[in-house]
Amino acid sequence: MDLTLLLCALLLTAFCCRRSAGVPGEEEVIPEILEFQVGDNAHLSCDSSLPTDNRSNVDWFFKHKDQLIPIFRVRQGQGQPDPGDYQHRLTLLGGANLSLAHVTPRDERIFICQVKAIGSHTQEKHIQLRIYKAPKEPTIQASTSGISVTSKVLQEVATCNGEDGYPLPHITWYKNRTPLKEEKNRIRFTESRTKESSGLYTVRSTLWAQLDKEDKEALFYCELSYRLPGGDHMKESKEVNVTIYYPMEKVWLEVMPNRLLKEGDKVELKCLSDGNPPPDFTIRKQDPSSHDWLEVENTSDAVLVLEQANRHHSGLYECLGLDFETGMEAIDQQQLLVNYVSNVQVQPRAPVTFEGNSLKLNCSAESSQPVVFQWKREKTGEVLKNGSVLHLTNLTREAGGGYLCVASVPKVPGLKHTQLVNVTINGSPWVMAKERHMWVKENEVVNLTCEISGKPRPTISWSVNGTVYEHDKDFQSILSTLKVQVIPELLEKGVVCQASNSLGSNKTTILLELVNLTTPTVTTTENTTSSHGTTTNSPSAKANGTSTAGTRQESKGVVIVAVIVCILLLAVLGAVLYFLYKKGKMPCGRSGKQEITLPLARKNEIVVEVKSDKLPEEMGLLQGSNGDKRSPRDQGEKYIDLRH
């Protein structure tokens, strides 16, 4: 018991001695914490309970280790900076408060304000500055060498940099939005930190990992966490993908386009695999007779391109893949079929017959697929029949010309082939018009045209000399053009175009007439009948050398219409006069010219005289309905009062 009391007394004595060993009056001061960003102006407030008037002395210090370094003093209300780092950055705001301009990371320290008043003890205030700086956007760099899944050691995946931050920012790694943590033999981080001369930090973190084939599409990024006045913040880098190498398990041969192919298509055969890097590929084709595999030439990057595929490209192809790293080999085969339609033939090949006969055309073709046939007229594109056989009956010369046999494969869009056959209908020459009129000017040079059809090909001649041009208008028609000057002899006799062959001859006459400049030129179409009795419509040529004139006939028609209109008007006028006469409104004498009785006051007013110079047969229309007849002289002149 006595021993216990003794020990307690010794402990109490030691504690009291320790308390008394300190500086008299010194107490532990808790500093006020102020937060600023780099570049801000920091307000240092003394907030002393003692008066800071002209009788008080105020001194400012900063604490460096265990020393107080003076930086500013206030005497009698006037401030004076002490020499040193803060000499040009401190400003007295009033009383004992200071402003520290453009704070930097080096200003993160404790500042002390001491106030000494006369007759009072010294009072202190401690201020702890916290300085912050947001780092730059983080940068990330994926490994350029790639990662092999067969490696037994951790490999560098990516590196993340965070520059110019304060205090030191923290880096967190993510894979597909999931944060990564260190895992033995799977994931590890290494980090380096650099303090710049400005006091800011740069942090560099490297992610090391063992990845799998499933990570070939994974996205990695890093996140920088840092603090600013008022709270925590973070910035994310961009996402990166890492090249991962893994051995192949299979290969396959891809054919594009993936549809039924036809001759002329551009076709690509491409070797693919599920390995990275791809194995060494070889494309081979099987010989259909020996069944040996032959390597295909002109391949590039394991791709065979057939710019215009044909039937000979059809066959069995294979892709052989060899992985040199693992020694693994894989094969895939594809059957290539290039569809075709060829050797379209029409029998007979050059059919010749006569008018009135019948003809049978047969069409055949070779193809890799079932074929359908269709017959069309070459001139018009009109579909004549579906099927391989076309029957033509009771042929006319118009039936001559081209016929198309179209052989197509419905299962393969766009696969078709066409064969043309020309049907010849023999007959004597046939002209488009027996006679034509053409308006011309004397001494001008004109082009006279003559269109002839017939088989065998007729010979064409002109009745006058000139420059002649001929060209085939179609399979059985010829267009002959004569360039000649208009002379009086041509105006008198016209020009004859003569055509003949072994079956007969025919001709057409072109009559030239001088243009009447006061009469408009009218283009007409003549219907003429050939020597075979066929009636056709021929467009007349133009007035400059290719038109046909019907001006005379049309002018006669206009005159006839005008005469009929005049007769009708005169008939109406005669009926009116006769009606007035019957009513006694028009007393008439036999002198042939009478005057209607008028009041004296109106005798001198204007009257209109109506005269008629019609022939007797025309004047007959003006006779009364009662059959009274008058001589032409009696019907010739009348006076009508038109004042009312």
Side-chain angles (χ1 to χ4, degrees), residues 487-494 511-512:
I487 59 177
E489 181 182 355
L490 298 185
L491 294 171
E492 179 182 352
K493 297 181 178 180
L511 301 177
L512 305 182

Side-chain angles (χ1 to χ4, degrees), residues 454-467:
K455 286 291 182 178
R457 179 188 176 95
T459 301
I460 302 176
S461 61
W462 293 85
S463 61
V464 297
N465 295 327
T467 304

Side-chain angles (χ1 to χ4, degrees), residues 26-47:
E26 181 179 357
E27 296 181 359
E28 185 178 0
V29 180
I30 299 176
E32 178 185 1
I33 297 177
L34 300 179
E35 295 182 330
F36 298 96
Q37 293 194 59
V38 170
D40 289 347
N41 294 332
H43 179 73
L44 305 178
S45 177
C46 192
D47 290 336

Side-chain angles (χ1 to χ4, degrees), residues 415-465:
L415 180 56
K416 64 180 180 179
H417 193 77
T418 302
Q419 181 62 46
L420 171 66
V421 61
N422 285 310
V423 175
T424 302
I425 309 296
N426 282 339
S428 62
W430 182 74
V431 296
M432 296 301 293
K434 280 295 184 181
E435 182 178 295
R436 292 167 46 198
H437 291 264
M438 181 173 174
W439 294 98
V440 296
K441 296 178 182 177
E442 191 170 4
N443 295 324
E444 74 170 334
V445 177
V446 296
N447 290 325
L448 308 180
T449 60
C450 177
E451 184 176 343
I452 305 292
S453 67
K455 286 291 182 178
R457 179 188 176 95
T459 301
I460 302 176
S461 61
W462 293 85
S463 61
V464 297
N465 295 327

Side-chain angles (χ1 to χ4, degrees), residues 577 592 610-612 619 622-624 628-638:
L577 294 175
V610 179
K611 295 183 178 181
S612 174
M619 291 303 296
L622 300 179
Q623 296 176 1
D628 294 341
K629 295 184 179 179
R630 299 177 178 85
S631 67
R633 182 173 182 86
D634 293 338
Q635 299 289 337
E637 299 176 356
K638 299 292 179 183

Side-chain angles (χ1 to χ4, degrees), residues 561-617:
V561 172
V563 170
I564 293 174
V565 172
C566 293
I567 292 174
L568 292 176
L569 291 176
L570 290 174
V572 172
L573 182 59
V576 172
L577 294 175
Y578 181 76
F579 177 79
L580 295 176
Y581 171 74
K582 282 292 185 179
K583 294 293 184 178
K585 301 294 184 178
M586 286 181 55
C588 298
R590 301 189 60 85
S591 63
K593 182 182 295 185
Q594 295 185 11
E595 184 176 278
I596 301 174
T597 304
L598 298 173
L600 293 178
R602 302 173 63 184
K603 287 287 185 179
N604 297 326
E605 295 185 12
I606 299 174
V607 296
V608 177
E609 180 181 10
V610 179
K611 295 183 178 181
S612 174
D613 56 356
K614 295 297 179 180
L615 296 176
E617 60 271 17

Side-chain angles (χ1 to χ4, degrees), residues 29-36 42-48 59-63 68 71 86 90 96-100 103 107-114 124-131:
V29 180
I30 299 176
E32 178 185 1
I33 297 177
L34 300 179
E35 295 182 330
F36 298 96
H43 179 73
L44 305 178
S45 177
C46 192
D47 290 336
S48 173
D59 294 284
W60 280 91
F61 307 88
F62 72 83
K63 191 173 184 179
L68 298 181
I71 57 174
Y86 291 99
L90 291 172
N97 300 329
L98 296 181
S99 174
L100 175 60
V103 296
D107 297 324
E108 189 170 79
R109 50 182 41 146
I110 295 177
F111 292 85
I112 300 171
C113 170
Q114 288 184 356
E124 293 183 356
K125 180 180 180 182
H126 291 206
I127 300 174
Q128 172 71 61
L129 290 188
R130 301 289 188 196
I131 308 301

